[in-house]
């Protein structure tokens, strides 16, 4: 799992890497061995790796760098359709409003040694989301176990023969696992809600709600049971509020 650190000051890159190692060792020791730190002195070098297919779990980006600013680099990342959390490193709040246009996950003021509380607060917000991206559902497909990342599941339902169907971001998977087996695993994750009889939706995939229907970001729609409507819509609103809590 790659973490990009992009800053034209080598001392800042080193300080941030050490701070990240210390934070992970203290808060998430099991996660540390999976982390690989990737330092870059300029945004252009980072973008070359990014365009070549290298992917990152979190991107730490200085705003003031050489020819290309961190904001400009972040825009190129977003134009490519990539939603990796971007945390800006800055000595000023000048670009903070512009950062919202690229959905910045946070801002860390430099020097880091004087802003440890803010550093920890930003990571306390981002790391649980990163862990959520790593969660998987083990299912059986054609007698073989496979791992399905939870964040790729849009919703789950059953066909007329009660076969469980996982509607993923790019295809549908049929599994011989029972609905109850999948239900027990998914509903312990706060992202998922049972909105109808034998239908479980990933609330991250929802675009909006109208009457008794969830409309998904990919254009599909999923019904909401009249019996469950109050419970499910309240759960969805609570989830949205939880996600929107700022640091």
């Amino acid at each position: 799992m790659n973490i990009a650190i992009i800053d034209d000051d080598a001392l800042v890159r080193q300080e941030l890497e050490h701070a990240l190692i210390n934070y992970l060792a203290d808060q998430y020791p099991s996660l540390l061995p999976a982390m690989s730190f990737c330092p870059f002195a300029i945004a252009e070098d980072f973008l070359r790796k990014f365009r070549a297919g290298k992917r990152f779990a979190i991107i730490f980006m200085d705003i003031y760098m050489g020819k290309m600013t961190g904001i400009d680099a972040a825009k190129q990342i977003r134009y490519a359709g990539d939603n990796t959390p971007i945390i800006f490193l800055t000595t000023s709040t000048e670009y903070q409003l512009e950062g919202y246009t690229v959905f910045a996950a946070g801002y860390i003021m430099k020097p880091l040694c004087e802003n440890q509380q803010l550093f920890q607060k930003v990571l306390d917000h981002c790391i649980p989301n990163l862990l959520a991206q790593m969660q998987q559902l083990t299912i059986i497909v054609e007698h073989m176990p496979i791992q399905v990342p939870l964040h790729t599941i849009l919703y789950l339902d059953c066909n007329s023969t009660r076969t469980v169907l996982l509607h993923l971001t790019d295809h549908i998977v049929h599994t011989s696992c029972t609905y109850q087996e999948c239900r027990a695993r998914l509903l312990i994750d706060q992202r998922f809600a049972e909105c109808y009889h034998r239908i479980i939706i990933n609330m991250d995939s929802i675009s909006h709600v109208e009457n008794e229907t969830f409309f998904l970001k990919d254009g599909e729609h999923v019904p909401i049971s009249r019996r469950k409507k109050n419970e499910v819509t309240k759960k969805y609103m609570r989830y949205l509020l939880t996600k929107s809590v700022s640091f």
Side-chain angles (χ1 to χ4, degrees):
M1 190 176 302
N2 300 314
I3 295 181
I5 301 174
I6 309 154
D7 196 294
D8 55 4
D9 187 328
L11 292 178
V12 171
R13 296 196 300 271
Q14 186 178 49
E15 181 186 18
L16 180 55
E17 181 174 334
H18 288 164
L20 287 167
I21 289 171
N22 290 336
Y23 173 86
L24 292 171
D26 183 53
Q27 301 292 328
Y28 300 94
S30 63
L31 195 58
L32 185 55
M35 292 298 183
S36 176
F37 299 97
C38 308
F40 299 91
I42 58 174
E44 291 87 341
D45 286 348
F46 165 80
L47 288 173
R48 275 190 282 273
K49 289 288 186 182
F50 174 78
R51 289 170 182 147
K54 193 175 183 71
R55 288 298 175 258
F56 301 88
I58 303 177
I59 300 167
F60 290 88
M61 182 97 69
D62 186 20
I63 289 182
Y64 299 101
M65 292 183 294
K67 295 180 180 179
M68 180 180 290
T69 69
I71 295 290
D72 290 335
K75 287 178 180 178
Q76 294 200 30
I77 294 167
R78 296 297 184 240
Y79 290 156
D82 189 281
N83 294 318
T84 301
I86 299 173
I87 298 170
F88 286 117
L89 310 171
T90 182
T91 56
S92 167
T93 59
E94 178 183 351
Y95 283 92
Q96 193 160 351
L97 287 177
E98 193 172 356
Y100 286 109
T101 67
V102 293
F103 304 100
Y107 287 82
I108 296 175
M109 298 296 294
K110 296 191 288 185
L112 185 59
C113 60
E114 297 177 8
N115 292 281
Q116 285 293 317
Q117 188 174 359
L118 177 60
F119 169 77
Q120 181 160 339
K121 194 173 183 181
V122 170
L123 289 184
D124 286 347
H125 178 85
C126 288
I127 297 298
N129 292 334
L130 177 60
L131 290 173
Q133 294 292 309
M134 298 170 60
Q135 296 298 312
Q136 296 181 322
L137 173 68
T138 301
I139 60 173
I140 305 299
V141 176
E142 296 181 352
H143 308 292
M144 293 289 293
I146 67 168
Q147 303 289 328
V148 178
L150 295 189
H151 74 274
T152 67
I153 301 173
L154 302 179
Y155 66 97
L156 174 153
D157 64 4
C158 299
N159 63 16
S160 58
T161 62
R162 294 196 173 185
T163 298
V164 173
L165 310 179
L166 272 71
H167 298 255
L168 308 183
T169 51
D170 54 359
H171 64 292
I172 298 174
V173 174
H174 297 63
T175 176
S176 57
C177 293
T178 67
Y179 177 81
Q180 291 301 326
E181 288 170 337
C182 295
R183 180 182 186 275
R185 173 63 184 87
L186 292 179
L187 292 189
I188 62 174
D189 188 295
Q190 66 171 351
R191 290 170 288 182
F192 291 88
E194 190 173 45
C195 60
Y196 203 88
H197 181 60
R198 295 185 180 275
I199 299 179
I200 297 173
I201 192 167
N202 181 345
M203 291 185 285
D204 282 340
S205 70
I206 297 171
S207 167
H208 62 284
V209 186
E210 287 185 20
N211 299 322
E212 295 171 358
T213 303
F214 281 126
F215 288 85
L216 308 189
K217 294 172 183 176
D218 69 347
E220 289 195 68
H221 52 86
V222 174
I224 304 171
S225 163
R226 288 187 179 180
R227 182 173 60 85
K228 290 178 174 285
K229 183 177 179 180
N230 286 339
E231 172 193 345
V232 172
T233 53
K234 285 180 181 178
K235 182 173 182 178
Y236 178 53
M237 293 304 160
R238 284 196 301 269
Y239 181 65
L240 290 181
L241 286 172
T242 300
K243 288 187 66 177
S244 67
V245 171
S246 62
F247 23 84

